[in-house]
């Protein structure tokens, strides 16, 4: 929590000209944040190790089966499952699910 050096009002996060700043809620005094990442919120979960992906509610019986080498059990077939991300313009994330041991592999573009 930061306070205005001019009037002591509460400084609240704001964006001015595309820059993240702190703006006084009382007099409008603006302080540029030296660290622009302070108020950044990421909704993306990245760098997930591909071998710990968990898929729930996937009915594999309706999924197409392709040739895929499973590193876990040596099986050479896997179901293909495509998960559409929330942003419609992004490509779907593809998962391979081993038909034998059900280990899930995530495909990285
Ligand atoms: Zn102020
Ligand atoms: Zn397997």
């Amino acid at each position: 929590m930061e306070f205005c050096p001019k009037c002591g009002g509460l400084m609240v996060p704001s964006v001015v000209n595309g820059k993240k700043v702190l703006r006084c809620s009382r007099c409008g005094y603006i302080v540029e944040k030296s660290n622009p990442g302070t108020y950044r919120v990421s909704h993306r979960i990245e760098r997930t190790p591909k071998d710990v992906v968990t898929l729930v509610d996937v009915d594999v019986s309706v999924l197409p089966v392709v040739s895929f080498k499973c590193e876990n059990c040596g099986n050479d077939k896997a179901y293909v499952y495509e998960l559409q991300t929330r942003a419609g313009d992004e490509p779907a994330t593809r998962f391979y699910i081993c038909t034998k041991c059900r280990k899930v592999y995530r495909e990285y573009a």
Side-chain angles (χ1 to χ4, degrees), residues 1-66:
M1 198 128 302
E2 292 183 47
F3 296 95
C4 176
K6 275 178 81 179
C7 74
L10 180 65
M11 302 298 280
V12 294
S14 181
V15 175
V16 174
N17 296 330
K19 279 183 177 173
K20 292 183 175 71
V21 299
L22 287 177
R23 184 206 290 267
C24 175
S25 59
R26 197 184 292 172
C27 75
Y29 184 80
I30 286 173
V31 174
E32 275 194 27
K33 290 298 290 176
S34 53
N35 177 8
T38 303
Y39 295 104
R40 195 156 140 209
V41 178
S42 175
H43 295 289
R44 223 172 252 258
I45 300 166
E46 286 173 298
R47 283 189 255 280
T48 308
K50 65 179 179 180
D51 56 348
V52 294
V53 174
T54 305
L55 293 177
V56 291
D57 296 335
V58 176
D59 182 7
V60 294
S61 65
V62 300
L63 298 176
V65 174
V66 295

Side-chain angles (χ1 to χ4, degrees), residues 69-77 97-103 105:
K69 180 77 176 166
C70 176
E71 295 163 9
N72 189 45
C73 71
N75 191 22
D76 60 1
K77 282 193 169 30
I97 306 165
C98 175
T99 59
K100 204 169 164 187
C101 70
R102 298 296 165 92
K103 186 177 168 90
Y105 295 87

